[in-house]
Amino acid sequence: MTAPVIAVVGPTATGKSDLGVALALALGGEVVNTDAMQLYRGMDIGTAKLAPAERAGVPHHQLDVLEVEEEASLAAYQRAARADLEAILARGRRPVAVGGSGLYVRALLDHFELGPVDHALRAELEGRLAA
């Protein structure tokens, strides 16, 4: 990334989403969601997800990208969200990362790479746990 990313993080119900929209409006930005539960369609009330009208025309990325039955993957999120950051920057806009899932914030902004899930190893370890 060649320009700073503003990150609005903190506990639930502290006004992160509203502040993120205000910052994006003031700075010509777009929001990248970093809340693990807001990835899911239909999980609006329990996650305090802003309704489209409350987003004030600010583009939001990584919202409503999964069905409730789908399993979130941090590695997939990292790839998609970082691509969103690069696209926002390429448009000359300011990325504003907003959300309270610390691991998702770190996956987006920190310098570490996640490898793909090893399904065989996972199955082996789950079998050992069950035994």
Side-chain angles (χ1 to χ4, degrees), residues 47-73:
T47 65
K49 188 185 305 173
L50 292 180
E54 296 172 305
R55 298 175 197 164
V58 172
H60 280 62
H61 306 274
Q62 298 306 308
L63 279 182
D64 299 328
V65 295
L66 296 173
E67 296 298 334
V68 178
E69 305 84 31
E70 293 180 85
E71 185 175 329
S73 159

PDB file of all heavy atoms in Angstrom, residues 47-73:
ATOM      1  N   THR A  47     -25.380  -7.481  14.367  1.00  0.00           N
ATOM      2  CA  THR A  47     -24.038  -6.956  14.119  1.00  0.00           C
ATOM      3  C   THR A  47     -24.019  -5.432  14.042  1.00  0.00           C
ATOM      4  O   THR A  47     -22.961  -4.858  13.836  1.00  0.00           O
ATOM      5  CB  THR A  47     -23.474  -7.512  12.790  1.00  0.00           C
ATOM      6  OG1 THR A  47     -24.279  -7.029  11.709  1.00  0.00           O
ATOM      7  CG2 THR A  47     -23.429  -9.021  12.793  1.00  0.00           C
ATOM      8  N   ALA A  48     -25.177  -4.806  14.185  1.00  0.00           N
ATOM      9  CA  ALA A  48     -25.301  -3.343  14.068  1.00  0.00           C
ATOM     10  C   ALA A  48     -24.793  -2.846  12.721  1.00  0.00           C
ATOM     11  O   ALA A  48     -24.242  -1.752  12.611  1.00  0.00           O
ATOM     12  CB  ALA A  48     -24.601  -2.636  15.221  1.00  0.00           C
ATOM     13  N   LYS A  49     -25.001  -3.641  11.684  1.00  0.00           N
ATOM     14  CA  LYS A  49     -24.584  -3.266  10.336  1.00  0.00           C
ATOM     15  C   LYS A  49     -25.407  -2.062   9.871  1.00  0.00           C
ATOM     16  O   LYS A  49     -26.620  -2.031  10.039  1.00  0.00           O
ATOM     17  CB  LYS A  49     -24.813  -4.447   9.388  1.00  0.00           C
ATOM     18  CG  LYS A  49     -24.238  -4.250   7.997  1.00  0.00           C
ATOM     19  CD  LYS A  49     -24.601  -5.405   7.072  1.00  0.00           C
ATOM     20  CE  LYS A  49     -24.183  -6.736   7.634  1.00  0.00           C
ATOM     21  NZ  LYS A  49     -24.682  -7.868   6.835  1.00  0.00           N
ATOM     22  N   LEU A  50     -24.741  -1.064   9.326  1.00  0.00           N
ATOM     23  CA  LEU A  50     -25.451   0.100   8.822  1.00  0.00           C
ATOM     24  C   LEU A  50     -26.338  -0.291   7.644  1.00  0.00           C
ATOM     25  O   LEU A  50     -25.906  -1.018   6.747  1.00  0.00           O
ATOM     26  CB  LEU A  50     -24.470   1.178   8.357  1.00  0.00           C
ATOM     27  CG  LEU A  50     -23.622   1.870   9.413  1.00  0.00           C
ATOM     28  CD1 LEU A  50     -22.711   2.902   8.752  1.00  0.00           C
ATOM     29  CD2 LEU A  50     -24.483   2.525  10.473  1.00  0.00           C
ATOM     30  N   ALA A  51     -27.549   0.228   7.636  1.00  0.00           N
ATOM     31  CA  ALA A  51     -28.440   0.052   6.491  1.00  0.00           C
ATOM     32  C   ALA A  51     -27.881   0.873   5.331  1.00  0.00           C
ATOM     33  O   ALA A  51     -27.164   1.858   5.546  1.00  0.00           O
ATOM     34  CB  ALA A  51     -29.846   0.521   6.845  1.00  0.00           C
ATOM     35  N   PRO A  52     -28.200   0.494   4.094  1.00  0.00           N
ATOM     36  CA  PRO A  52     -27.678   1.257   2.946  1.00  0.00           C
ATOM     37  C   PRO A  52     -27.908   2.768   3.053  1.00  0.00           C
ATOM     38  O   PRO A  52     -27.013   3.554   2.732  1.00  0.00           O
ATOM     39  CB  PRO A  52     -28.401   0.636   1.756  1.00  0.00           C
ATOM     40  CG  PRO A  52     -28.610  -0.792   2.183  1.00  0.00           C
ATOM     41  CD  PRO A  52     -28.929  -0.700   3.658  1.00  0.00           C
ATOM     42  N   ALA A  53     -29.059   3.188   3.528  1.00  0.00           N
ATOM     43  CA  ALA A  53     -29.324   4.631   3.650  1.00  0.00           C
ATOM     44  C   ALA A  53     -28.391   5.298   4.656  1.00  0.00           C
ATOM     45  O   ALA A  53     -28.036   6.468   4.497  1.00  0.00           O
ATOM     46  CB  ALA A  53     -30.777   4.853   4.049  1.00  0.00           C
ATOM     47  N   GLU A  54     -27.965   4.564   5.681  1.00  0.00           N
ATOM     48  CA  GLU A  54     -27.076   5.123   6.700  1.00  0.00           C
ATOM     49  C   GLU A  54     -25.626   5.221   6.228  1.00  0.00           C
ATOM     50  O   GLU A  54     -24.804   5.868   6.878  1.00  0.00           O
ATOM     51  CB  GLU A  54     -27.127   4.258   7.964  1.00  0.00           C
ATOM     52  CG  GLU A  54     -28.486   4.236   8.641  1.00  0.00           C
ATOM     53  CD  GLU A  54     -28.540   3.222   9.764  1.00  0.00           C
ATOM     54  OE1 GLU A  54     -28.231   2.022   9.506  1.00  0.00           O
ATOM     55  OE2 GLU A  54     -28.898   3.619  10.886  1.00  0.00           O
ATOM     56  N   ARG A  55     -25.331   4.606   5.106  1.00  0.00           N
ATOM     57  CA  ARG A  55     -23.961   4.624   4.573  1.00  0.00           C
ATOM     58  C   ARG A  55     -23.661   5.899   3.799  1.00  0.00           C
ATOM     59  O   ARG A  55     -22.537   6.118   3.358  1.00  0.00           O
ATOM     60  CB  ARG A  55     -23.722   3.395   3.704  1.00  0.00           C
ATOM     61  CG  ARG A  55     -23.864   2.098   4.485  1.00  0.00           C
ATOM     62  CD  ARG A  55     -23.753   0.875   3.625  1.00  0.00           C
ATOM     63  NE  ARG A  55     -24.294  -0.270   4.358  1.00  0.00           N
ATOM     64  CZ  ARG A  55     -24.629  -1.414   3.795  1.00  0.00           C
ATOM     65  NH1 ARG A  55     -24.456  -1.608   2.491  1.00  0.00           N
ATOM     66  NH2 ARG A  55     -25.128  -2.382   4.535  1.00  0.00           N
ATOM     67  N   ALA A  56     -24.663   6.749   3.623  1.00  0.00           N
ATOM     68  CA  ALA A  56     -24.506   8.080   3.023  1.00  0.00           C
ATOM     69  C   ALA A  56     -23.819   8.058   1.660  1.00  0.00           C
ATOM     70  O   ALA A  56     -23.073   8.970   1.325  1.00  0.00           O
ATOM     71  CB  ALA A  56     -23.758   8.997   3.990  1.00  0.00           C
ATOM     72  N   GLY A  57     -24.050   7.009   0.889  1.00  0.00           N
ATOM     73  CA  GLY A  57     -23.459   6.921  -0.438  1.00  0.00           C
ATOM     74  C   GLY A  57     -22.003   6.488  -0.456  1.00  0.00           C
ATOM     75  O   GLY A  57     -21.403   6.395  -1.530  1.00  0.00           O
ATOM     76  N   VAL A  58     -21.427   6.235   0.707  1.00  0.00           N
ATOM     77  CA  VAL A  58     -20.027   5.794   0.784  1.00  0.00           C
ATOM     78  C   VAL A  58     -19.961   4.321   0.401  1.00  0.00           C
ATOM     79  O   VAL A  58     -20.656   3.496   1.004  1.00  0.00           O
ATOM     80  CB  VAL A  58     -19.460   5.995   2.208  1.00  0.00           C
ATOM     81  CG1 VAL A  58     -18.076   5.362   2.338  1.00  0.00           C
ATOM     82  CG2 VAL A  58     -19.426   7.466   2.569  1.00  0.00           C
ATOM     83  N   PRO A  59     -19.144   3.968  -0.581  1.00  0.00           N
ATOM     84  CA  PRO A  59     -19.002   2.551  -0.924  1.00  0.00           C
ATOM     85  C   PRO A  59     -18.446   1.755   0.259  1.00  0.00           C
ATOM     86  O   PRO A  59     -17.525   2.210   0.948  1.00  0.00           O
ATOM     87  CB  PRO A  59     -18.008   2.552  -2.087  1.00  0.00           C
ATOM     88  CG  PRO A  59     -18.085   3.930  -2.655  1.00  0.00           C
ATOM     89  CD  PRO A  59     -18.377   4.825  -1.487  1.00  0.00           C
ATOM     90  N   HIS A  60     -19.037   0.607   0.491  1.00  0.00           N
ATOM     91  CA  HIS A  60     -18.600  -0.313   1.551  1.00  0.00           C
ATOM     92  C   HIS A  60     -18.184  -1.629   0.903  1.00  0.00           C
ATOM     93  O   HIS A  60     -18.917  -2.162   0.064  1.00  0.00           O
ATOM     94  CB  HIS A  60     -19.729  -0.565   2.550  1.00  0.00           C
ATOM     95  CG  HIS A  60     -19.901   0.517   3.555  1.00  0.00           C
ATOM     96  ND1 HIS A  60     -20.227   1.813   3.212  1.00  0.00           N
ATOM     97  CD2 HIS A  60     -19.785   0.498   4.898  1.00  0.00           C
ATOM     98  CE1 HIS A  60     -20.313   2.542   4.323  1.00  0.00           C
ATOM     99  NE2 HIS A  60     -20.048   1.759   5.360  1.00  0.00           N
ATOM    100  N   HIS A  61     -17.049  -2.144   1.312  1.00  0.00           N
ATOM    101  CA  HIS A  61     -16.511  -3.391   0.773  1.00  0.00           C
ATOM    102  C   HIS A  61     -16.465  -4.443   1.877  1.00  0.00           C
ATOM    103  O   HIS A  61     -16.312  -4.122   3.046  1.00  0.00           O
ATOM    104  CB  HIS A  61     -15.113  -3.155   0.201  1.00  0.00           C
ATOM    105  CG  HIS A  61     -15.080  -2.049  -0.798  1.00  0.00           C
ATOM    106  ND1 HIS A  61     -15.365  -2.233  -2.132  1.00  0.00           N
ATOM    107  CD2 HIS A  61     -14.841  -0.722  -0.645  1.00  0.00           C
ATOM    108  CE1 HIS A  61     -15.280  -1.076  -2.763  1.00  0.00           C
ATOM    109  NE2 HIS A  61     -14.968  -0.145  -1.886  1.00  0.00           N
ATOM    110  N   GLN A  62     -16.597  -5.692   1.497  1.00  0.00           N
ATOM    111  CA  GLN A  62     -16.583  -6.836   2.407  1.00  0.00           C
ATOM    112  C   GLN A  62     -17.770  -6.836   3.374  1.00  0.00           C
ATOM    113  O   GLN A  62     -17.671  -7.315   4.494  1.00  0.00           O
ATOM    114  CB  GLN A  62     -15.254  -6.931   3.173  1.00  0.00           C
ATOM    115  CG  GLN A  62     -14.045  -7.138   2.278  1.00  0.00           C
ATOM    116  CD  GLN A  62     -14.206  -8.325   1.353  1.00  0.00           C
ATOM    117  OE1 GLN A  62     -14.522  -9.427   1.781  1.00  0.00           O
ATOM    118  NE2 GLN A  62     -14.001  -8.107   0.054  1.00  0.00           N
ATOM    119  N   LEU A  63     -18.889  -6.339   2.917  1.00  0.00           N
ATOM    120  CA  LEU A  63     -20.165  -6.457   3.627  1.00  0.00           C
ATOM    121  C   LEU A  63     -21.051  -7.385   2.815  1.00  0.00           C
ATOM    122  O   LEU A  63     -21.089  -7.280   1.587  1.00  0.00           O
ATOM    123  CB  LEU A  63     -20.882  -5.103   3.724  1.00  0.00           C
ATOM    124  CG  LEU A  63     -20.470  -4.114   4.782  1.00  0.00           C
ATOM    125  CD1 LEU A  63     -21.356  -2.881   4.700  1.00  0.00           C
ATOM    126  CD2 LEU A  63     -20.534  -4.692   6.176  1.00  0.00           C
ATOM    127  N   ASP A  64     -21.773  -8.270   3.479  1.00  0.00           N
ATOM    128  CA  ASP A  64     -22.747  -9.124   2.797  1.00  0.00           C
ATOM    129  C   ASP A  64     -22.130  -9.947   1.670  1.00  0.00           C
ATOM    130  O   ASP A  64     -22.731 -10.102   0.612  1.00  0.00           O
ATOM    131  CB  ASP A  64     -23.912  -8.286   2.259  1.00  0.00           C
ATOM    132  CG  ASP A  64     -24.673  -7.565   3.360  1.00  0.00           C
ATOM    133  OD1 ASP A  64     -24.746  -8.106   4.480  1.00  0.00           O
ATOM    134  OD2 ASP A  64     -25.199  -6.469   3.102  1.00  0.00           O
ATOM    135  N   VAL A  65     -20.950 -10.487   1.899  1.00  0.00           N
ATOM    136  CA  VAL A  65     -20.272 -11.262   0.852  1.00  0.00           C
ATOM    137  C   VAL A  65     -20.429 -12.771   1.026  1.00  0.00           C
ATOM    138  O   VAL A  65     -20.036 -13.534   0.146  1.00  0.00           O
ATOM    139  CB  VAL A  65     -18.770 -10.889   0.754  1.00  0.00           C
ATOM    140  CG1 VAL A  65     -18.601  -9.444   0.314  1.00  0.00           C
ATOM    141  CG2 VAL A  65     -18.049 -11.142   2.066  1.00  0.00           C
ATOM    142  N   LEU A  66     -21.002 -13.194   2.160  1.00  0.00           N
ATOM    143  CA  LEU A  66     -21.189 -14.619   2.426  1.00  0.00           C
ATOM    144  C   LEU A  66     -22.629 -14.902   2.832  1.00  0.00           C
ATOM    145  O   LEU A  66     -23.274 -14.069   3.460  1.00  0.00           O
ATOM    146  CB  LEU A  66     -20.275 -15.089   3.572  1.00  0.00           C
ATOM    147  CG  LEU A  66     -18.773 -15.017   3.367  1.00  0.00           C
ATOM    148  CD1 LEU A  66     -18.055 -15.348   4.667  1.00  0.00           C
ATOM    149  CD2 LEU A  66     -18.332 -15.941   2.257  1.00  0.00           C
ATOM    150  N   GLU A  67     -23.088 -16.101   2.481  1.00  0.00           N
ATOM    151  CA  GLU A  67     -24.367 -16.584   3.001  1.00  0.00           C
ATOM    152  C   GLU A  67     -24.120 -17.121   4.409  1.00  0.00           C
ATOM    153  O   GLU A  67     -23.002 -17.529   4.739  1.00  0.00           O
ATOM    154  CB  GLU A  67     -24.930 -17.693   2.105  1.00  0.00           C
ATOM    155  CG  GLU A  67     -25.273 -17.242   0.688  1.00  0.00           C
ATOM    156  CD  GLU A  67     -26.352 -16.181   0.636  1.00  0.00           C
ATOM    157  OE1 GLU A  67     -27.187 -16.113   1.564  1.00  0.00           O
ATOM    158  OE2 GLU A  67     -26.357 -15.396  -0.333  1.00  0.00           O
ATOM    159  N   VAL A  68     -25.162 -17.143   5.224  1.00  0.00           N
ATOM    160  CA  VAL A  68     -25.021 -17.581   6.612  1.00  0.00           C
ATOM    161  C   VAL A  68     -24.495 -19.014   6.689  1.00  0.00           C
ATOM    162  O   VAL A  68     -23.761 -19.357   7.617  1.00  0.00           O
ATOM    163  CB  VAL A  68     -26.368 -17.437   7.356  1.00  0.00           C
ATOM    164  CG1 VAL A  68     -26.260 -17.928   8.784  1.00  0.00           C
ATOM    165  CG2 VAL A  68     -26.810 -15.990   7.345  1.00  0.00           C
ATOM    166  N   GLU A  69     -24.807 -19.842   5.700  1.00  0.00           N
ATOM    167  CA  GLU A  69     -24.361 -21.238   5.724  1.00  0.00           C
ATOM    168  C   GLU A  69     -22.886 -21.389   5.353  1.00  0.00           C
ATOM    169  O   GLU A  69     -22.299 -22.441   5.557  1.00  0.00           O
ATOM    170  CB  GLU A  69     -25.176 -22.089   4.738  1.00  0.00           C
ATOM    171  CG  GLU A  69     -26.666 -22.044   4.908  1.00  0.00           C
ATOM    172  CD  GLU A  69     -27.313 -20.847   4.213  1.00  0.00           C
ATOM    173  OE1 GLU A  69     -26.812 -20.384   3.164  1.00  0.00           O
ATOM    174  OE2 GLU A  69     -28.320 -20.357   4.731  1.00  0.00           O
ATOM    175  N   GLU A  70     -22.286 -20.369   4.776  1.00  0.00           N
ATOM    176  CA  GLU A  70     -20.898 -20.445   4.338  1.00  0.00           C
ATOM    177  C   GLU A  70     -19.944 -20.197   5.514  1.00  0.00           C
ATOM    178  O   GLU A  70     -20.235 -19.410   6.399  1.00  0.00           O
ATOM    179  CB  GLU A  70     -20.613 -19.418   3.246  1.00  0.00           C
ATOM    180  CG  GLU A  70     -21.326 -19.692   1.946  1.00  0.00           C
ATOM    181  CD  GLU A  70     -21.001 -18.632   0.913  1.00  0.00           C
ATOM    182  OE1 GLU A  70     -19.955 -18.781   0.243  1.00  0.00           O
ATOM    183  OE2 GLU A  70     -21.774 -17.674   0.791  1.00  0.00           O
ATOM    184  N   GLU A  71     -18.816 -20.874   5.475  1.00  0.00           N
ATOM    185  CA  GLU A  71     -17.798 -20.691   6.498  1.00  0.00           C
ATOM    186  C   GLU A  71     -16.839 -19.596   6.063  1.00  0.00           C
ATOM    187  O   GLU A  71     -16.327 -19.609   4.942  1.00  0.00           O
ATOM    188  CB  GLU A  71     -17.029 -21.992   6.710  1.00  0.00           C
ATOM    189  CG  GLU A  71     -16.031 -21.924   7.840  1.00  0.00           C
ATOM    190  CD  GLU A  71     -15.365 -23.267   8.099  1.00  0.00           C
ATOM    191  OE1 GLU A  71     -16.000 -24.310   7.879  1.00  0.00           O
ATOM    192  OE2 GLU A  71     -14.203 -23.255   8.523  1.00  0.00           O
ATOM    193  N   ALA A  72     -16.616 -18.636   6.939  1.00  0.00           N
ATOM    194  CA  ALA A  72     -15.663 -17.572   6.644  1.00  0.00           C
ATOM    195  C   ALA A  72     -14.242 -18.128   6.695  1.00  0.00           C
ATOM    196  O   ALA A  72     -13.929 -18.971   7.528  1.00  0.00           O
ATOM    197  CB  ALA A  72     -15.822 -16.431   7.633  1.00  0.00           C
ATOM    198  N   SER A  73     -13.407 -17.645   5.814  1.00  0.00           N
ATOM    199  CA  SER A  73     -11.995 -18.016   5.785  1.00  0.00           C
ATOM    200  C   SER A  73     -11.182 -16.738   5.912  1.00  0.00           C
ATOM    201  O   SER A  73     -11.337 -15.817   5.102  1.00  0.00           O
ATOM    202  CB  SER A  73     -11.669 -18.714   4.464  1.00  0.00           C
ATOM    203  OG  SER A  73     -10.279 -18.657   4.188  1.00  0.00           O
TER     204      SER A  73
END
